[in-house]
Amino acid sequence: MAAKDDPIVIKKYANRRLYNTGTSTYVTLEDLAEMVKKGEEFTVQDAKTGDDITHPVLTQIIFELENKDGQNMLPIPFLRQLIAFYGDQMQMIVPSFLEQSMIAFSKEQERFREQLKGAFGKSPIDVMKMATPMKALEEQTRRNMEMFQNAMRLFTPFPPAGGNAAAPAEPAKKEEKGGDDLQELKAQIAAMQRKLDTMS
């Protein structure tokens, strides 16, 4: 018997049905999505092999949600950048960066919600104060970019002169292919930083 604080075990059978061992009922991907929203911890196991397949099932939930009308949260440029990182030398730090970004955003979400709730349904002057939560969101994005740039500096043998992250990185002549990839990534981040600066 699982301890009270242990994650609920969801078993996935060959017929693709999902069985919640905590409630002894069959569930759907929508049910699992609701469990996530409620903060309920669970793991998904292949019923035959016992392998942990939580990651592919959660990815499938995101895929299903993204295909619903009006539910897209992942912009195309983000998806392109994410795909480009697969197999790249930066792949190992991307998951940590995304995780830390989401943790930081989650901590701020209640403040954003309150500001957004307070801005709607009021006078036009009050609605103009919507800039406040947007500024806070832009500031959070800027902090996330700084964190990512700092993480990238750990992998850069020689920091750029002047340390200006917003300046375009000069292409350095490297003997190794990895150096060219890193310079290209730096240039992309610098371009993203300039875009953020123009938004503020």
Side-chain angles (χ1 to χ4, degrees):
M1 184 118 195
K4 188 172 183 181
D5 292 335
D6 286 349
I8 298 165
V9 175
I10 309 292
K11 291 190 178 284
K12 186 173 185 181
Y13 290 92
N15 62 4
R16 299 173 70 186
R17 292 193 76 184
L18 299 162
Y19 184 76
N20 184 331
T21 61
T23 59
S24 301
T25 57
Y26 285 100
V27 292
T28 63
L29 290 176
E30 290 83 8
D31 295 326
L32 295 186
E34 285 303 314
M35 289 173 70
V36 169
K37 290 175 184 177
K38 291 177 185 174
E40 297 178 33
E41 291 289 328
F42 63 84
T43 60
V44 185
Q45 295 177 358
D46 185 294
K48 186 176 182 181
T49 65
D51 291 343
D52 187 329
I53 55 170
T54 308
H55 186 276
V57 169
L58 292 176
T59 305
Q60 186 179 356
I61 291 170
I62 292 171
F63 177 78
E64 298 282 335
L65 291 171
E66 282 289 308
N67 279 314
K68 286 187 177 178
D69 288 338
Q71 295 243 114
N72 304 95
M73 278 204 305
L74 303 176
I76 289 174
F78 171 80
L79 293 172
R80 289 184 194 278
Q81 289 171 345
L82 195 59
I83 290 167
F85 280 125
Y86 282 94
D88 185 89
Q89 62 188 12
M90 300 305 294
Q91 180 176 342
M92 64 184 194
I93 66 167
V94 171
S96 176
F97 169 72
L98 293 176
E99 183 178 6
Q100 292 304 315
S101 296
M102 287 305 292
I103 289 170
F105 183 76
S106 295
K107 287 178 181 174
E108 296 289 328
Q109 70 172 325
E110 282 309 313
R111 187 163 61 90
F112 291 147
R113 285 181 202 273
E114 287 302 314
Q115 289 175 338
L116 288 169
K117 190 165 67 174
F120 286 112
K122 296 191 176 182
S123 71
I125 292 173
D126 289 333
V127 174
M128 288 177 72
K129 292 179 184 173
M130 275 292 289
T132 303
M134 291 304 121
K135 287 280 186 195
L137 187 56
E138 286 172 17
E139 181 58 33
Q140 182 64 49
T141 305
R142 204 170 281 116
R143 282 197 300 262
N144 289 349
M145 283 302 301
E146 286 173 11
M147 183 175 67
F148 186 55
Q149 288 168 346
N150 288 337
M152 280 190 35
R153 284 190 194 102
L154 296 174
F155 296 91
T156 307
F158 303 105
N164 187 356
E170 291 182 16
K173 292 183 180 177
K174 301 271 184 181
E175 292 178 11
E176 302 150 3
K177 183 183 180 299
D180 292 336
D181 291 342
L182 190 56
Q183 290 299 331
E184 183 181 337
L185 187 58
K186 282 181 176 178
Q188 289 174 355
I189 288 178
M192 287 169 55
Q193 185 65 48
R194 287 193 300 277
K195 283 183 188 174
L196 284 171
D197 292 340
T198 59
M199 288 171 60
S200 58

